[in-house]
Each structure stands twice: as C-alpha cells, then as structure tokens.
Amino acid sequence: MNVVVFDLETTGLSPERDGIVEIGALRIVDGQVDETQKFETLVRPTGEAGQPLLIPWRAERVHGISNEMVRGAPGLPEVLPEFLDFVNGWPVVAHNIGFDGGFMRVHARRHGLDWTPAAEHCTVQLSRRAFPKERAHNLNALADRLGLNFAPGGRHRSFGDVQVTAQAYVRLMERLGVGV
C-alpha cells in the first residue's frame, strides 16, 4: 500500500481557534519509507478571519517553533494547495489522526479546499491493537517499544515525528500481519 504519513505542529489544541505552524510529510511507497518524497514547511499561523496568530509560550515550549521562526514563512493559503497536491488523494497516516486530520479538515474548509484522502490510518490505534497489554501509546512509548530513534532535535517537530511515525507504521503493519 502507498500512503502519506504526515504531522502538524500547531499553536494549540483546537482546530477552530488555533493555527498550524508546521507541516511535515513522507510517502511510503510499496511498503518502504521513501525519504526522497517529502514535504516540510513552517507556516505563518492565521485565525479564522485571516488575522495573524501568535504562538503561545506553552506551544513553543512543546515544539520549539517561535514567532520569529514563522515570521517569513508562507501562510496556509499558499501551503495547503501544495500539501494537498503532495497527498494527491492517497491514504494518510498520522499518530493520533483525529488531531491532525481534524486540523486539516477545518483549515482546508476555511480556505475553500477539500481534505479528502482515500483513507485515514492512526498509529495510536494500530499500537493499541499490536500491544493490547501496554498502557502508553504515545509516540515516545511506541518508538521505544519498536526500537526507533528520533533524529537529534526531531521530536515534536513535524518532519522528525513523521520519520518515526512512518517507520512505526511499517513495523506495526508487519506485526499485525497486514501488507503495507
């Protein structure tokens, strides 16, 4: 199966109130993570009416993305069409697809675009199926369980999280006996 693994970093937890500050994505082609087919960009966040949003210190503390870093970045009106072209209707994978997919649906609709991947797969749910006796299924716990490592400075940055999520997806599908 061919899928696009993606991750977002945001200004907060509410798709309606908060903005996207980074998008990272990789393709898995014929069951292999293809790091040559990637999408990675910072995004200047905006609110529902297009007004600039500041990155709260709590969010910056998690992902390390500052207002200064996104000041010259493109906004979602430029980034979303490019990202949707990259996805190209393929099935998508995210660690906690409800969060990332929810942000994509709200923000695509806000910009007159459709978020319509062929399917949405969640590595949290796959982890729960593969490791039913484990309590923690966050990305750190899953990476540890599967022997995966984040690149230095990669945790809580979109592309670093995507690299581990993509590898985890392949290993989870193998463990569950499902062809990738």
Side-chain angles (χ1 to χ4, degrees):
M1 180 184 290
N2 298 326
V3 298
V4 172
V5 182
F6 80 103
D7 181 71
L8 306 176
E9 298 302 335
T10 66
T11 62
L13 302 176
S14 170
E16 290 79 19
R17 290 188 309 272
D18 295 308
I20 296 169
V21 297
E22 188 176 43
I23 302 174
L26 270 174
R27 284 196 174 118
I28 296 176
V29 180
D30 297 329
Q32 301 293 315
V33 178
D34 184 350
E35 294 220 16
T36 67
Q37 295 190 49
K38 67 181 184 175
F39 184 95
E40 180 180 19
T41 186
L42 288 170
V43 180
R44 189 179 62 257
T46 55
E48 187 172 357
Q51 77 279 13
L53 287 178
L54 293 177
I55 300 170
W57 67 269
R58 284 185 178 99
E60 182 179 343
R61 192 174 66 193
V62 172
H63 50 56
I65 300 169
S66 69
N67 290 302
E68 182 63 32
M69 292 169 68
V70 299
R71 190 175 325 278
L76 273 179
E78 296 86 15
V79 170
L80 274 180
E82 292 175 16
F83 180 60
L84 293 175
D85 284 346
F86 181 82
V87 172
N88 196 29
W90 284 27
V92 294
V93 175
H95 195 75
N96 190 4
I97 191 69
F99 179 84
D100 296 278
F103 263 86
M104 287 305 302
R105 275 186 288 287
V106 167
H107 288 271
R109 184 175 50 246
R110 188 176 289 167
H111 293 284
L113 302 167
D114 288 322
W115 173 249
T116 53
E120 293 183 340
H121 304 280
C122 182
T123 52
V124 173
Q125 295 302 319
L126 293 171
S127 177
R128 288 183 177 138
R129 284 182 35 210
F131 303 103
K133 294 181 181 176
E134 298 292 340
R135 298 189 83 194
H137 297 281
N138 61 57
L139 193 52
N140 286 340
L142 182 58
D144 286 345
R145 205 169 288 132
L146 295 174
L148 301 172
N149 296 307
F150 293 91
R155 182 66 176 114
H156 291 298
R157 289 299 301 268
S158 289
F159 195 70
D161 286 356
V162 159
Q163 288 174 307
V164 169
T165 302
Q167 295 170 39
Y169 178 74
V170 170
R171 291 187 185 181
L172 286 167
M173 296 301 275
E174 290 168 353
R175 183 177 179 92
L176 293 168
V178 179
V180 178

